[in-house]
Amino acid sequence: MSSTFDTVADIIAETCDIPRDEIKPESHAINDLEIDSLDFLDIAFAIDKAFGIKLPLEQWTQEVNDGKATTDQYFVLNNLCARIDDLIVAKTA
Amino acid sequence: MRLEYFQMIDRILDIKLEEPSIRMEARVPTKSTVFEGHFPGYPLMPAVLLIETMAQTAGLLVLARIAFARLPVLAAVKSAKVRRQVSPGDTLIVEGRVLHEGSGFAIAKGTISVADKSACEAELTYRILPFPDPKVRIELQSVAAQVGLRLEALNHAG
């Protein structure tokens, strides 16, 4: 069974045509991988489907805009994967 | 259809919010200035307007699903295929189905058929944004009512 990171990295590679080996756990989706908001919708769609969850993108964006969170907390991939794992646990709890 | 006003859909034939799916009818006008240029002497419905027709149909379904709380705006068109030509006077059956409702976005599939033959299809991505002005919401509700959407039923459906 592949890890959350492997699944997310595969999705990003396929969706955004980024070489898989350039996608690291410490990569920032926006700052390092230069994924724009429209491409991130495709990624969110694929993640939602793959894990049976709904990434709360609007809530995250609001928190960043309000200065309550940094983009690193949600868009550095190992942090994103931790959030996904939390959502999976919350769904099955 | 009033092509010059981008009013692409005429009436709802069926809407199922729980599936969610919608089926609409749209009649291509026999005359329009659009056909004078596309093409001179050989009038055809432009494919981009067929895509717009699907976008309005599925967009209305997305709007209905969220009870007109926010505005779905077309953001991406994928896997668009135009399988046959559509001509002035054709009656289109336009179907939309929501594939996914994400946080701030929705993905839908649109199709158009003419005389039971597939004419066009695409996957459509919408960003779902706040209305820029409450008047826009009222205008859209008016348009939706004109094509047969029963707004009071949506409110009760919750």
Side-chain angles (χ1 to χ4, degrees):
Chain A
M1 189 178 191
S2 64
S3 70
T4 301
F5 172 76
D6 287 332
T7 302
V8 169
D10 288 346
I11 286 170
I12 291 173
E14 186 174 338
T15 304
C16 300
D17 201 19
I18 295 172
R20 175 63 177 79
D21 58 5
E22 291 181 13
I23 303 169
K24 312 283 189 193
E26 61 273 20
S27 300
H28 190 300
I30 302 165
N31 299 343
D32 297 328
L33 302 178
E34 299 182 338
I35 297 168
D36 68 16
S37 64
L38 184 56
D39 281 338
F40 205 84
L41 293 187
D42 287 335
I43 292 168
F45 176 36
I47 288 174
D48 286 359
K49 273 200 307 184
F51 296 102
I53 58 172
K54 183 171 172 175
L55 286 183
L57 292 180
E58 290 184 297
Q59 179 193 326
W60 293 355
T61 304
Q62 191 65 49
E63 288 176 13
V64 170
N65 289 343
D66 291 345
K68 295 176 181 171
T70 65
T71 59
D72 287 7
Q73 288 174 249
Y74 300 122
F75 296 105
V76 169
L77 296 190
N78 54 11
N79 294 339
L80 174 64
C81 291
R83 305 280 175 181
I84 291 169
D85 288 339
D86 290 345
L87 289 164
I88 294 168
V89 169
K91 184 187 72 167
T92 55
Chain B
M1 266 185 187
R2 297 170 73 206
L3 300 184
E4 292 77 8
Y5 293 88
F6 259 54
Q7 293 178 2
M8 311 304 292
I9 45 184
D10 293 334
R11 68 184 181 109
I12 293 175
L13 300 174
D14 191 26
I15 182 167
K16 293 187 175 77
L17 289 182
E18 67 283 2
E19 283 194 8
S21 67
I22 189 169
R23 198 160 153 264
M24 301 200 69
E25 184 181 84
R27 187 169 180 275
V28 181
T30 54
K31 292 191 176 176
S32 165
T33 53
V34 169
F35 299 134
E36 292 174 17
H38 194 278
F39 297 98
Y42 183 45
L44 285 180
M45 182 70 168
V48 290
L49 295 183
L50 294 174
I51 291 169
E52 175 64 22
T53 303
M54 293 188 288
Q56 289 189 14
T57 298
L60 182 60
L61 177 61
V62 174
L63 258 175
R65 286 273 297 173
I66 57 175
F68 287 73
R70 293 196 292 165
L71 178 65
V73 176
L74 185 64
V77 178
K78 294 181 188 163
S79 306
K81 292 180 182 173
V82 180
R83 298 186 182 280
R84 64 183 55 244
Q85 295 177 349
V86 174
S87 302
D90 281 348
T91 297
L92 313 183
I93 301 300
V94 193
E95 296 184 270
R97 188 162 53 89
V98 173
L99 304 178
H100 183 70
E101 290 170 311
S103 173
F105 71 99
I107 313 278
K109 173 81 184 282
T111 64
I112 293 177
S113 59
V114 179
D116 289 330
K117 291 181 178 170
S118 174
C120 189
E121 64 193 54
E123 184 183 294
L124 309 157
T125 301
Y126 301 83
R127 290 186 198 269
I128 301 178
L129 305 173
F131 278 107
D133 187 309
K135 289 178 186 170
V136 178
R137 181 176 193 258
I138 293 167
E139 288 291 334
L140 279 180
Q141 286 177 322
S142 172
V143 170
Q146 286 170 23
V147 298
L149 189 66
R150 292 177 54 240
L151 299 172
E152 67 280 8
L154 296 181
N155 293 334
H156 290 305

